[in-house]
Every structure is written in structure tokens, then in C-alpha cells.
């Protein structure tokens, strides 16, 4: 498995783990599209599309958008030609139902995931980073109360998906504390050990 055939990757980590930033770097390096459900929902809200109207309040509260809606958005995006041979999904799947949805979608086209990168960051550190991001970017879902809700949902619904992928031998735990370059190099090393190489 090399990047010539693409790589189908997930990046999973709590809010403030830096998965969005690392996701973009990975996508660039491996020549695959970075697909972030959070970014797609924010773009939909900004463009005031039907999808945007449906998800505005849910995102504002830090709750999960219903699986049916989220999975439909992801399926459509993964069906575009640039994702035919590989992708880096950031923020999806986020619960066990979505794991099943993604499995079904990939199985129908004879594909499988190649690796799941888990960015490990202690809670204190991620809260600190989120507080900083709230000051810098002013995301409406970065208030203290909403952050707490999102972290609680992560622990309750998203953390369990890692067990499923771990049982499949797909998870690489990567220490997410360090400079952007340091963390990125840990990721590329972990992927290289699986034979997944940059483009
Ligand atoms: P974070 O990981 O910091 O919460 P994201 O940008 O990944 O930020 O997501 C922002 C919001 O978008 C989430 O709080 C949720 O409301 C919605 N969202 C993103 N991905 C999903 C998903 N897979 N399922 C349901 N809701 C999602």
C-alpha cells in the first residue's frame, strides 16, 4: 500500500487536539483530500444553504448533527472523483452508528480504511488550546459551556469508536503534545510503519 494507490485515513482526537491542522498537512503530504465534516457544516451555515439552516442551532449548542444527515453529506463528498483513491476524514465517524455507515459505504465500493490516527492530548491541554482558539477565531461553539458539552460527547460517543478500530488493528496512537512539526513527524512515522508513504 503506497500513496500511489492513495490512502484511506481517519484522524480522531478530542476538541483542541489539533486534528484539523494536522489533517490538512497529512492530506497535502499524501496527495489526498482532507474532508472535515465540521468545515463542511460551517461552510453550509455561512452560505445559508438548506443544510446550513438545518444544522445551525445544533452546532451552536455543540450537539451532534443527526447521523442520517451527516452520513448523507459524507457519502456525497466521498463520491466525488478526488476521493476515489484516498481521503483523510476529520470529524467523521463520530459515533458507532457512523462507523457502521462508513463501513457500509466503503464495502459497497470494495474499499477499506488503511489507518486511524488517534491524536492523544491530555484534557487540560486541549481545554487550554480551545480557550486560546476561542479568543483568536471567535468560533460560536467555543464558549466554555459548549466546549464542555462537546468534550463530554467526545468521551461518551466518539472515544468508543476507537475500540472498534483498535480491534481491527487500524489505530496508531500519536502523542499530540509538541510542535506542529514534531506531531506531524510522529504521524508520518506511524504511517510509514504501515507502508503508507507520502506522495
Ligand atoms: P470539534 O471537533 O472541535 O468539535 P468540528 O469542526 O469537528 O469541531 O465539529 C463542529 C461541530 O460540527 C460539532 O460540534 C457537531 O455539531 C458538528 N459535527 C461535525 N462532525 C460531525 C459528525 N460526524 N456527526 C455529527 N455532528 C458533527
Amino acid at each position: 500500500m503506497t500513496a500511489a494507490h492513495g490512502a484511506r485515513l481517519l484522524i480522531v482526537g478530542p476538541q483542541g487536539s489539533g486534528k484539523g491542522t494536522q489533517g490538512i498537512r497529512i492530506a497535502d503530504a499524501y496527495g489526498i483530500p482532507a474532508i472535515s465534516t465540521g468545515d463542511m457544516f460551517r461552510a453550509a451555515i455561512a452560505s445559508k444553504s438548506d443544510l446550513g439552516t438545518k444544522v445551525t442551532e445544533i452546532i451552536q449548542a455543540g450537539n451532534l448533527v443527526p447521523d442520517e444527515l451527516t452520513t448523507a453529506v459524507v457519502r456525497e463528498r466521498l463520491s466525488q472523483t478526488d476521493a476515489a483513491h484516498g481521503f483523510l476524514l476529520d470529524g467523521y465517524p463520530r459515533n458507532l452508528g457512523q462507523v457502521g455507515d462508513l463501513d457500509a459505504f466503503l464495502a459497497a465500493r470494495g474499499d477499506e480504511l488503511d489507518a486511524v490516527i488517534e491524536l492523544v492530548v491530555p484534557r487540560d491541554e486541549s481545554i487550554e488550546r480551545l480557550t486560546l482558539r476561542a479568543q483568536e477565531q471567535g468560533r460560536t461553539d467555543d464558549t466554555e459551556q459548549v466546549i464542555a458539552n462537546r468534550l463530554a460527547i467526545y468521551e461518551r460517543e466518539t472515544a468508543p469508536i476507537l475500540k472498534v478500530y483498535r480491534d481491527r488493528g487500524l489505530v496508531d496512537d500519536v502523542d499530540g503534545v509538541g510542535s506542529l512539526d514534531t506531531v506531524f513527524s510522529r504521524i508520518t512515522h506511524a504511517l510509514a510503519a504501515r507502508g503508507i508513504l507520502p506522495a
Side-chain angles (χ1 to χ4, degrees):
M1 229 297 332
T2 68
H5 308 286
R8 298 178 189 91
L9 308 173
L10 305 185
I11 188 161
V12 183
Q15 287 72 16
S17 61
K19 69 186 164 53
T21 311
Q22 294 295 343
I24 290 167
R25 291 182 76 155
I26 296 164
D28 278 352
Y30 292 82
I32 49 179
I35 300 176
S36 154
T37 41
D39 283 352
M40 286 194 286
F41 288 139
R42 280 184 289 277
I45 292 170
S47 72
K48 298 190 162 52
S49 67
D50 283 351
L51 173 66
T53 313
K54 281 186 198 147
V55 302
T56 302
E57 280 181 23
I58 299 170
I59 288 185
Q60 200 100 299
N63 292 320
L64 292 189
V65 172
D67 289 352
E68 218 179 79
L69 198 54
T70 309
T71 290
V73 168
V74 172
R75 290 177 83 105
E76 193 189 325
R77 180 64 188 88
L78 287 178
S79 301
Q80 291 170 20
T81 47
D82 66 336
H85 301 294
F87 51 78
L88 180 284
L89 273 174
D90 161 10
Y92 185 95
R94 223 169 172 103
N95 59 26
L96 293 170
Q98 294 178 9
V99 169
D101 290 345
L102 181 62
D103 281 344
F105 176 81
L106 293 177
R109 59 184 206 184
D111 290 340
E112 280 183 3
L113 290 175
D114 295 306
V116 176
I117 300 151
E118 180 191 3
L119 270 190
V120 182
V121 174
R123 193 174 233 268
D124 287 355
E125 169 101 13
S126 62
I127 290 176
E128 209 170 289
R129 291 186 193 174
L130 283 171
T131 312
L132 195 70
R133 184 174 83 186
Q135 289 160 6
E136 286 169 354
Q137 299 180 5
R139 245 173 73 167
T140 53
D141 60 350
D142 273 348
T143 62
E144 203 178 323
Q145 204 184 352
V146 175
I147 287 172
N149 186 34
R150 284 156 58 216
L151 282 168
I153 292 174
Y154 180 84
E155 276 159 25
R156 193 175 67 235
E157 301 202 33
T158 308
I161 76 169
L162 287 162
K163 176 169 182 346
V164 174
Y165 289 129
R166 214 178 293 284
D167 289 347
R168 296 183 196 172
L170 287 173
V171 178
D172 288 320
D173 287 312
V174 173
D175 177 2
V177 182
S179 71
L180 287 182
D181 286 345
T182 306
V183 175
F184 182 64
S185 124
R186 289 178 190 138
I187 294 171
T188 53
H189 276 88
L191 293 177
R194 294 181 180 273
I196 301 171
L197 302 170

